[in-house]
Amino acid sequence: MTSLFARTLTRLPATPPAEPWNAGHPGLILDLDGTLIREHEAIEGAAELLRVFHDRYVVVSNNSTHTSSQLARRLRAAGLRVDPQRLVLAGEVAVQYLRDRHPDARVLMCASAGLKRYAAHLGCRMVDEGADIVMLALDKRFGYGALERVTQELARGARLVVSNTDATHPGPLGRIVPETGALLQAVLACSADAPLHVVGKPETAMFQEGLRRLGRETGGVVVIGDNPDTDALGAVRAGLRYVLVGGSAHADAATVGELMRCAVAARRELPRTSAAAA
C-alpha cells in the first residue's frame, strides 16, 4: 500500500532546468583580455559572438593603456570590429572621474601617452610635481624614477587614484602580461596610503556604465569574463548574472566559441573556492 507521504512526493512538480545563459536574448557585458583577445590575437569564437550579438553588447575592460578609438583600431587588426562607443575602458573612466569629481586638481599621471593626451583633451591639469592627485594606470615605461616621484608626491599629501588593480592578464601561449596592479604593489610598498579611488573591475561603476550604454536593466544582461576575482565578483556586486571562460577551474567553457555551443546556465553567486568568495 502506497503511503500518503509517497503519493504526495509523486505529485510534487519537478524542478525546472536552469535556462541557458543566452536564453531570452540577453544583452552582454564582455570582458576583453582573456575573453575576446590574448594581446593581439582574437580568441576562438570572439568574432562570431560579436556578430551574433552585434547590437546588444558592450566591452567592459580594465584596459588602462588605450583610448576607445585606439583600441577599436587594435581590435580591427585582430579581426574584431567593435565601435568605440561599445568600449568602456578603465583608463578612460579614471580620467573622466578626475574631470567630474576633481576638476581643479593638479594631477601627476603615470600612464600611456595616449591616455595623457586624452586627459589633456578633457581639461585635466597635469603636472610633474606639486600634485593633488597621482593617477596610476598601465605605464609600460614606469621605472625607478617614476616610483620615486610618485612616492614623494604621496608623502607630500597627494592622493592616489588607480585605474585597476589587476596584477596580470593572459597573453598568447600562456604568457603572463604584467598589469597596473603590479605597479600599484610597488607604490604601496613605499607608501602606506591606500588609494583614494579604484576605478576598474570588480568595482561596480564600470558595470553600471555598461548597463547605461546597453539601455538595459540588470535582469536582461549577462557578463562573460575569464576572471572570478574581477568579472565574477564585479557581476555579483552589480546584481548581474555571469559565465566564465578560459582555463581556470571555475570556467564554464574554454573559449567563447565553445560557450556558444553549450547550454550552461549563468550564475548569480561566486564560485565557492575563488579568492573573491573567501
Side-chain angles (χ1 to χ4, degrees), residues 26 30 66 71 77 108 126 130 139 153 157 194 200 213 217 246 250 253 275:
L30 302 172
H66 302 92
L71 185 56
L108 171 63
M126 291 185 291
D139 181 1
E153 292 300 318
R213 295 197 195 185
E217 301 295 327
H250 306 295

Side-chain angles (χ1 to χ4, degrees), residues 122-185:
L122 291 190
C124 292
R125 297 175 58 193
M126 291 185 291
V127 298
D128 293 324
E129 60 182 13
D132 302 309
I133 291 176
V134 173
M135 180 183 150
L136 181 64
L138 181 54
D139 181 1
K140 295 185 178 180
R141 296 185 177 183
F142 190 89
Y144 184 86
L147 178 61
E148 184 178 29
R149 187 164 65 252
V150 167
T151 300
Q152 295 307 316
E153 292 300 318
L154 295 177
R156 292 189 185 107
R159 303 301 303 274
L160 181 61
V161 171
V162 184
S163 62
N164 63 294
T165 59
D166 299 41
T168 64
H169 69 252
L173 303 174
R175 190 165 141 253
I176 301 299
V177 181
E179 255 288 355
T180 309
L183 307 184
L184 175 61
Q185 291 305 310

Side-chain angles (χ1 to χ4, degrees), residues 37-135:
I37 63 170
R38 294 188 187 96
E39 284 292 279
H40 303 291
E41 299 176 2
I43 291 174
E44 187 269 325
E48 176 67 7
L49 180 73
L50 298 183
R51 186 190 67 78
V52 171
F53 288 85
H54 67 97
D55 60 348
R56 48 193 171 102
Y57 77 87
V58 292
V59 175
V60 172
S61 170
N62 275 351
N63 180 299
S64 63
T65 306
H66 302 92
T67 64
S68 296
S69 57
Q70 288 174 332
L71 185 56
R73 291 193 294 271
R74 179 181 171 221
L75 292 175
R76 193 179 308 119
L80 304 178
R81 294 191 172 274
V82 181
D83 188 278
Q85 290 302 311
R86 293 192 179 275
L87 295 169
V88 181
L89 307 180
E92 286 189 333
V93 174
V95 171
Q96 292 159 10
Y97 166 84
L98 293 176
R99 177 200 61 189
D100 295 342
R101 300 291 184 89
H102 304 279
D104 299 321
R106 294 165 298 177
V107 181
L108 171 63
M109 285 191 70
C110 297
S112 66
L115 203 58
K116 289 180 178 179
R117 287 193 297 270
Y118 179 74
H121 175 72
L122 291 190
C124 292
R125 297 175 58 193
M126 291 185 291
V127 298
D128 293 324
E129 60 182 13
D132 302 309
I133 291 176
V134 173
M135 180 183 150

Side-chain angles (χ1 to χ4, degrees), residues 116-275:
K116 289 180 178 179
R117 287 193 297 270
Y118 179 74
H121 175 72
L122 291 190
C124 292
R125 297 175 58 193
M126 291 185 291
V127 298
D128 293 324
E129 60 182 13
D132 302 309
I133 291 176
V134 173
M135 180 183 150
L136 181 64
L138 181 54
D139 181 1
K140 295 185 178 180
R141 296 185 177 183
F142 190 89
Y144 184 86
L147 178 61
E148 184 178 29
R149 187 164 65 252
V150 167
T151 300
Q152 295 307 316
E153 292 300 318
L154 295 177
R156 292 189 185 107
R159 303 301 303 274
L160 181 61
V161 171
V162 184
S163 62
N164 63 294
T165 59
D166 299 41
T168 64
H169 69 252
L173 303 174
R175 190 165 141 253
I176 301 299
V177 181
E179 255 288 355
T180 309
L183 307 184
L184 175 61
Q185 291 305 310
V187 170
L188 293 180
C190 302
S191 173
D193 290 341
L196 167 67
H197 186 69
V198 177
V199 172
K201 299 179 291 185
E203 303 303 320
T204 59
M206 301 273 287
F207 294 93
Q208 291 164 354
E209 176 62 15
L211 288 170
R212 187 191 70 79
R213 295 197 195 185
L214 285 171
R216 291 183 177 231
E217 301 295 327
T218 55
V221 175
V222 173
V223 174
I224 301 179
D226 72 310
N227 190 332
D229 299 321
T230 53
D231 303 313
L233 178 57
V236 170
R237 285 179 173 177
L240 294 159
R241 297 172 295 148
Y242 72 91
V243 290
L244 293 174
V245 296
S248 80
H250 306 295
D252 299 292
T255 65
V256 287
E258 181 181 307
L259 181 67
M260 293 180 70
R261 298 188 291 271
C262 62
V264 298
R267 305 184 227 180
R268 295 184 181 275
E269 298 180 349
L270 292 173
R272 292 291 181 185
T273 58
S274 73

